[in-house]
Coordinates of all heavy atoms in Angstrom, one line a residue:
G27 N 11.3 -16.3 -38.1 CA 10.1 -16.2 -38.8 C 9.6 -14.7 -39.0 O 10.4 -13.8 -38.9
D28 N 8.4 -14.6 -39.2 CA 7.8 -13.3 -39.6 C 8.0 -12.2 -38.5 O 8.3 -11.1 -38.8 CB 6.3 -13.5 -39.9 CG 5.7 -12.2 -40.3 OD1 6.2 -11.5 -41.2 OD2 4.6 -11.8 -39.7
V29 N 7.8 -12.7 -37.3 CA 8.1 -11.7 -36.2 C 9.6 -11.7 -35.9 O 10.0 -10.9 -35.0 CB 7.3 -12.0 -34.9 CG1 5.8 -11.9 -35.2 CG2 7.6 -13.3 -34.4
A30 N 10.3 -12.6 -36.4 CA 11.8 -12.7 -36.2 C 12.5 -11.8 -37.1 O 13.3 -12.2 -37.9 CB 12.3 -14.1 -36.2
Y31 N 12.3 -10.4 -36.9 CA 13.1 -9.5 -37.6 C 13.2 -8.3 -36.7 O 12.3 -8.1 -35.8 CB 12.5 -9.1 -39.0 CG 11.2 -8.5 -38.9 CD1 10.9 -7.1 -38.6 CD2 10.0 -9.3 -39.0 CE1 9.7 -6.6 -38.5 CE2 8.8 -8.8 -39.0 CZ 8.6 -7.4 -38.7 OH 7.3 -6.9 -38.7
D32 N 14.3 -7.5 -36.8 CA 14.5 -6.4 -35.8 C 14.8 -5.1 -36.5 O 15.7 -4.4 -35.9 CB 15.5 -6.8 -34.8 CG 16.8 -7.3 -35.4 OD1 16.9 -7.3 -36.6 OD2 17.7 -7.8 -34.7
G33 N 14.1 -4.8 -37.5 CA 14.3 -3.5 -38.1 C 15.3 -3.3 -39.2 O 15.5 -2.2 -39.7
H34 N 16.0 -4.4 -39.6 CA 17.0 -4.3 -40.6 C 16.5 -4.6 -42.0 O 17.3 -4.5 -43.0 CB 18.2 -5.2 -40.2 CG 18.8 -4.9 -38.9 ND1 19.4 -3.6 -38.7 CD2 19.0 -5.6 -37.8 CE1 19.8 -3.7 -37.4 NE2 19.6 -4.8 -36.9
G35 N 15.3 -5.0 -42.1 CA 14.8 -5.3 -43.5 C 14.9 -6.7 -44.0 O 14.8 -6.9 -45.2
N36 N 15.3 -7.6 -43.1 CA 15.4 -9.0 -43.5 C 15.0 -9.8 -42.2 O 15.0 -9.4 -41.1 CB 16.9 -9.4 -43.7 CG 17.4 -8.8 -45.0 OD1 18.2 -7.8 -45.0 ND2 17.0 -9.2 -46.2
G37 N 14.6 -11.1 -42.5 CA 14.3 -12.0 -41.5 C 15.6 -12.3 -40.7 O 16.7 -12.1 -41.3
V38 N 15.5 -12.7 -39.5 CA 16.7 -12.9 -38.7 C 17.6 -14.0 -39.3 O 18.9 -13.8 -39.3 CB 16.3 -13.3 -37.2 CG1 17.5 -13.8 -36.5 CG2 15.7 -12.1 -36.5
F39 N 17.0 -15.1 -39.8 CA 17.9 -16.1 -40.4 C 18.7 -15.5 -41.6 O 19.9 -15.7 -41.7 CB 17.0 -17.3 -40.8 CG 17.7 -18.4 -41.5 CD1 18.4 -19.3 -40.9 CD2 17.5 -18.5 -42.9 CE1 19.1 -20.4 -41.6 CE2 18.1 -19.5 -43.6 CZ 18.9 -20.4 -43.0
T40 N 17.9 -14.9 -42.5 CA 18.6 -14.4 -43.7 C 19.6 -13.3 -43.4 O 20.6 -13.2 -44.0 CB 17.6 -13.9 -44.7 OG1 16.7 -15.0 -45.1 CG2 18.2 -13.4 -46.0
K41 N 19.3 -12.5 -42.5 CA 20.2 -11.4 -42.0 C 21.5 -12.0 -41.6 O 22.6 -11.6 -41.9 CB 19.5 -10.6 -40.9 CG 20.5 -9.6 -40.3 CD 19.8 -8.8 -39.3 CE 20.7 -7.8 -38.5 NZ 21.5 -8.6 -37.5
A42 N 21.4 -13.1 -40.8 CA 22.6 -13.8 -40.3 C 23.4 -14.4 -41.5 O 24.6 -14.4 -41.5 CB 22.3 -14.9 -39.3
V43 N 22.7 -15.0 -42.4 CA 23.4 -15.6 -43.6 C 24.1 -14.5 -44.4 O 25.2 -14.7 -44.8 CB 22.3 -16.3 -44.5 CG1 23.0 -16.7 -45.9 CG2 21.7 -17.5 -43.9
I44 N 23.4 -13.4 -44.6 CA 24.1 -12.3 -45.3 C 25.3 -11.8 -44.6 O 26.4 -11.6 -45.2 CB 23.1 -11.2 -45.6 CG1 22.0 -11.6 -46.5 CG2 23.8 -9.9 -46.1 CD1 20.9 -10.6 -46.7
E45 N 25.2 -11.6 -43.3 CA 26.4 -11.1 -42.5 C 27.5 -12.1 -42.6 O 28.7 -11.7 -42.7 CB 25.9 -10.8 -41.1 CG 25.1 -9.6 -40.9 CD 24.7 -9.4 -39.4 OE1 24.9 -10.3 -38.6 OE2 24.2 -8.3 -39.1
G46 N 27.1 -13.3 -42.4 CA 28.1 -14.4 -42.4 C 28.9 -14.5 -43.8 O 30.2 -14.5 -43.8
L47 N 28.2 -14.4 -44.9 CA 28.8 -14.4 -46.2 C 29.6 -13.1 -46.4 O 30.6 -13.1 -47.2 CB 27.8 -14.6 -47.3 CG 27.1 -15.9 -47.4 CD1 25.9 -15.8 -48.3 CD2 28.1 -16.9 -47.9
Q48 N 29.3 -12.1 -45.8 CA 30.0 -10.8 -45.9 C 31.2 -10.7 -44.9 O 31.6 -9.7 -44.5 CB 29.1 -9.6 -45.7 CG 28.1 -9.4 -46.9 CD 27.1 -8.3 -46.6 OE1 26.8 -8.0 -45.5 NE2 26.7 -7.6 -47.7
C49 N 31.7 -11.9 -44.5 CA 33.0 -12.0 -43.8 C 32.8 -12.2 -42.3 O 33.8 -12.4 -41.7 CB 34.0 -11.0 -44.2 SG 34.4 -11.0 -46.0
R50 N 31.6 -12.0 -41.8 CA 31.5 -12.3 -40.3 C 31.8 -13.8 -40.0 O 32.2 -14.0 -38.8 CB 30.1 -11.9 -39.8 CG 29.7 -10.4 -40.0 CD 30.4 -9.6 -38.9 NE 30.0 -8.2 -38.9 CZ 28.9 -7.8 -38.2 NH1 28.3 -8.6 -37.5 NH2 28.5 -6.5 -38.3
A51 N 31.6 -14.6 -40.9 CA 31.8 -16.1 -40.7 C 33.2 -16.6 -41.2 O 33.4 -17.7 -41.4 CB 30.6 -16.9 -41.3
A52 N 34.1 -15.6 -41.5 CA 35.3 -16.0 -42.1 C 36.3 -16.7 -41.1 O 36.3 -16.4 -40.0 CB 36.0 -14.8 -42.8
K53 N 37.0 -17.7 -41.7 CA 38.1 -18.3 -40.9 C 39.2 -17.5 -40.9 O 39.3 -16.4 -41.5 CB 38.5 -19.7 -41.6 CG 37.3 -20.7 -41.6 CD 37.8 -22.0 -42.0 CE 38.4 -22.1 -43.4 NZ 38.9 -23.4 -43.7
S54 N 40.3 -17.9 -40.1 CA 41.5 -17.0 -40.0 C 42.2 -16.8 -41.3 O 42.9 -15.7 -41.4 CB 42.4 -17.7 -38.9 OG 42.8 -19.0 -39.4
V55 N 42.0 -17.7 -42.2 CA 42.6 -17.4 -43.6 C 41.8 -16.6 -44.5 O 42.1 -16.3 -45.6 CB 42.9 -18.8 -44.2 CG1 44.0 -19.6 -43.4 CG2 41.6 -19.6 -44.4
G56 N 40.6 -16.1 -44.0 CA 39.8 -15.2 -44.7 C 38.7 -15.9 -45.6 O 38.2 -15.2 -46.5
T57 N 38.4 -17.1 -45.4 CA 37.4 -17.8 -46.2 C 36.2 -18.2 -45.5 O 36.3 -18.7 -44.3 CB 38.0 -19.1 -46.8 OG1 39.2 -18.7 -47.6 CG2 37.1 -19.8 -47.8
V58 N 35.0 -17.9 -46.0 CA 33.8 -18.4 -45.4 C 33.4 -19.7 -46.1 O 33.4 -19.9 -47.3 CB 32.6 -17.4 -45.7 CG1 31.3 -17.9 -45.1 CG2 32.9 -16.1 -45.1
T59 N 33.1 -20.8 -45.3 CA 32.7 -22.1 -45.7 C 31.3 -22.4 -45.2 O 30.8 -21.8 -44.3 CB 33.8 -23.1 -45.2 OG1 33.6 -23.2 -43.8 CG2 35.2 -22.7 -45.6
P60 N 30.7 -23.5 -45.8 CA 29.4 -23.8 -45.2 C 29.5 -24.1 -43.7 O 28.5 -23.8 -43.0 CB 29.1 -25.1 -46.0 CG 29.7 -24.9 -47.3 CD 31.0 -24.2 -47.0
Y61 N 30.5 -24.7 -43.2 CA 30.7 -25.0 -41.8 C 30.7 -23.7 -41.0 O 30.0 -23.6 -40.0 CB 31.9 -25.9 -41.6 CG 32.2 -26.1 -40.1 CD1 31.4 -27.0 -39.4 CD2 33.2 -25.4 -39.4 CE1 31.5 -27.3 -38.0 CE2 33.4 -25.7 -38.0 CZ 32.6 -26.6 -37.4 OH 32.8 -26.8 -36.0
T62 N 31.6 -22.8 -41.4 CA 31.7 -21.5 -40.6 C 30.5 -20.7 -40.7 O 30.1 -20.1 -39.8 CB 33.0 -20.7 -41.0 OG1 32.8 -20.3 -42.4 CG2 34.2 -21.6 -40.9

């Protein structure tokens, strides 16, 4: 939530979504899926 941010300019949830889509959540074959 609103206090759940740590200086990166996004909420913690959205920050994690962005990082995940930018390949932090990729499988070994290099694909990000809803599950990963």
Side-chain angles (χ1 to χ4, degrees):
D28 181 51
V29 298
Y31 59 86
D32 49 7
H34 300 301
N36 292 106
V38 169
F39 174 79
T40 300
K41 173 177 174 284
V43 170
I44 291 172
E45 288 181 346
L47 288 168
Q48 290 177 327
C49 298
R50 294 286 187 89
K53 298 193 296 185
S54 59
V55 294
T57 303
V58 177
T59 68
Y61 175 75
T62 64

